[in-house]
Amino acid sequence: MIVNTATGCGFIPQYSKIKVNGDNAIPLYKWITENTNFEGFSGLMSVILKPMVKKMNEDYKNNGKIKWSFTKIIVNWEGEIFARFEPTEIIKKVAEKVREIL
């Protein structure tokens, strides 16, 4: 599983900031954004995140760009994207997909 984590939040000081969107994104994230779709935010946090993300990208609903930290990508044994979860997804759904692919 690939998880886009937050830098500068204090939770993971050992990681440095990388580009996950745009022309300067690292190859892994270019591949992810070209091969997945944004499925939307869910839950209570969506009320907060939607307006914030819309300010950064008016067309945020129609592209695969990483919208927020802690987006999770599950890749299958063949190296194909199996599932994508936005940070607002409940962890139970993520765990179900992990079990499914194992």
Side-chain angles (χ1 to χ4, degrees), residues 6-39:
T7 56
C9 66
F11 293 122
I12 48 166
Q14 67 274 26
Y15 296 137
S16 61
K17 188 169 182 71
I18 60 170
K19 296 285 186 181
V20 298
N21 289 312
D23 293 337
N24 295 324
I26 64 169
L28 173 63
Y29 282 96
K30 283 185 181 181
W31 176 75
I32 289 170
T33 59
E34 291 168 359
N35 291 284
T36 62
N37 295 313
F38 175 65
E39 300 294 330

Side-chain angles (χ1 to χ4, degrees), residues 3-6 9 11-12 66 68-72 85-88:
V3 179
N4 177 50
T5 59
C9 66
F11 293 122
I12 48 166
I66 304 294
W68 207 259
S69 298
F70 303 106
T71 297
K72 292 161 269 316
F85 300 95
E86 300 307 324
T88 55

Side-chain angles (χ1 to χ4, degrees), residues 44-61:
L44 184 58
M45 282 300 293
S46 67
V47 175
I48 297 167
L49 290 178
K50 285 179 186 177
M52 292 172 69
V53 171
K54 190 173 184 174
K55 282 183 185 178
M56 294 184 284
N57 180 349
E58 188 71 28
D59 192 37
Y60 77 95
K61 293 180 182 178

Side-chain angles (χ1 to χ4, degrees), residues 1 39-43 72 74 82-101:
M1 180 168 24
E39 300 294 330
F41 294 121
S42 60
K72 292 161 269 316
I74 299 174
F82 179 71
R84 173 178 169 159
F85 300 95
E86 300 307 324
T88 55
E89 189 61 72
I90 60 172
I91 200 66
K92 183 178 179 180
K93 288 186 179 181
V94 177
E96 288 170 1
K97 283 292 185 183
V98 169
R99 281 194 283 290
E100 183 180 328
I101 199 167

